[in-house]
Amino acid sequence: MRSQLTIATVFSCLALEASAFWRLPCRGRSTLQRIDPLVNPGLPAGHVHTIQGPDTISIDSTNEELMAGSCSSCQVKQDKSAYWTPAMYFQHADTGKLEIIPQTGGMLVYYLQRGENVTAAPPGLRILAGDPFLRNFPYRTIEKSLWQAQDRTEDALRQKAVGFNCLNYDEPANAALGLRAIPDDPSKCKDGLRAEVFFPSCWDGKRVDSPDHKDHMRYPSLMDDGTCPETHPVRIISLFYETIWDVAAFSGIEGKYAFSDGDPLGYGYHGDFMNGWDQGVLEQAVTECLDPSGVVEKCGVFQHYTEEEMQSCKVKNIDILEDVTGPMDKLPGCNPITHGPERALNATCDGTPATNPPKDEDQSIYGDIASSSSLSYIPLIQNPSPTTKPELLATLITTQRPTQTPTQTPVVPEAPTSDPPTTSTVNLHLVIVTITETKTVDVYYTPTPPTVPKRRRHIHGGAHRHKH
Ligand SMILES: *[C@@H]1O[C@H](CO)[C@@H](O)[C@H](O)[C@H]1NC(C)=O
Ligand SMILES: *[C@@H]1O[C@H](CO)[C@@H](O)[C@H](O)[C@H]1NC(C)=O
């Protein structure tokens, strides 16, 4: 016991030093639409995205237009950035019909201090992380703690930046990016499937965008840590997105899960970012918001939208009038579900594209359970001494139960609660652990204890859309 406490103390010190971050809740959703102002400005996008940010997000919004927004579905008032990822769908085996999977709790965006001399994302920055066409993931078998010794090509690092967690809050939390792919039976993820993407944080210092929206950025040597290449020497604050899909809503129903781009595996998962920050505030936050709890309210430079303000911030215009919730015969944009390993092709709708008016989907497709998790990036001991037992390395992995308020600091657990992250004795560089999980929709604004969340176990047809 004594040695455990010692190790825990060491880790919390390292965490203090190395894991400064803030966690930005995006509690509403600005739009669910087949638009992508970064990759396909002015044109219908290839697939549907769930998009968080200001009301000025549109099919061709620029960073300046984002900044002119009058609200945001994310909490910090001085941030009008746009954040988006593909939406997730369920295809019924009996009818072949597809319908949107309810999303739980919006999105969480982590702004993390990783590396040296971290600076703010420059004004106008746009980044695409991940590759929607990817259906093969050769690096998926590599244990995360061994990444340091493994392939650091840009392709490998990109693949390491995408991952999933099968959430079950009755069990100890697993490390973020813990699964390399969507699990075989996602309906077993009782509290949702959390999709995650880490953004590259090394900037070339010159361009705020590039033709593929990636070339101006590189991953550092360890993907979420390490050093930047000489070609991209400027370290910006790291972005990490978490989005939870209520896959368990379909448990007991036979069918298939796939992202909106026709990806049933997860290898094509991706995220987009367009900087819409008040630049001065972002720069101040990068130097001042160093609280290791990640609690956004602890950052004095931010002003905050209320839960209601976030929930009610919707885009002013729907640009693509089509049904994006289903039940429907094809994914919007007609993406076929493809299993690879070859890359997916661009989809075409050879018949008439869906032109049904959009349904009143917002609000209602959110699940009952919101999750707020807190990441801590903890560098492990470089060369663990023979006396450092792997199980001790797991002492910071824990799950905190509800009744939390976000002003609470994550605590160091008393006992190991999870399998050790590794049993290897080679250089361990870092482990990403989820140290807080909470369970109430109103966790940020309701001081009263949370109510027990109601679950919709079986959803038939589109009944859930009228729930609220
Ligand atoms: C960080 O800045 C210091 C001081 O300018 C410099 O000596 C150091 O090399 C920088 N580190 C990196 C990784 O650029
Ligand atoms: C597919 O779409 C992407 C993005 O719109 C485009 O860059 C690419 O050239 C297209 N590929 C083909 C084969 O049409």
Side-chain angles (χ1 to χ4, degrees), residues 233-254:
V234 182
R235 192 56 171 268
I236 66 163
I237 192 150
S238 296
L239 283 168
F240 178 68
Y241 294 0
E242 290 183 343
T243 309
I244 301 175
W245 299 95
D246 186 10
V247 288
F250 295 90
S251 66
I253 306 175
E254 227 176 293

Side-chain angles (χ1 to χ4, degrees), residues 21-28 52-53 72-83 105-112 238-242 273 277 282 293-297 302-305 310 371-374 444-445:
F21 70 108
W22 72 88
R23 187 185 60 220
L24 175 71
C26 298
R27 305 283 294 163
Q52 278 75 11
S72 175
S73 58
C74 302
Q75 189 171 319
V76 172
K77 285 190 175 176
Q78 301 104 321
D79 175 28
K80 299 295 189 317
S81 300
Y83 308 91
M107 176 192 267
L108 287 174
V109 178
Y110 292 76
Y111 280 82
L112 299 135
S238 296
L239 283 168
F240 178 68
Y241 294 0
E242 290 183 343
F273 169 72
W277 277 90
L282 180 60
S293 72
V295 171
V296 72
E297 285 84 354
F302 295 153
Q303 291 158 12
H304 304 273
Y305 287 120
M310 285 188 265
S371 163
S372 150
S373 64
S374 172
Y444 288 99
Y445 293 100

Side-chain angles (χ1 to χ4, degrees), residues 40 50 62 85 118 121 136 260 438 441:
N40 305 99
T50 173
T62 60
T85 66
V118 176
N136 187 20
S260 54
T438 61
V441 170

Side-chain angles (χ1 to χ4, degrees), residues 115-117 227-228 233:
E116 283 177 39
N117 306 337
T227 54
C228 285

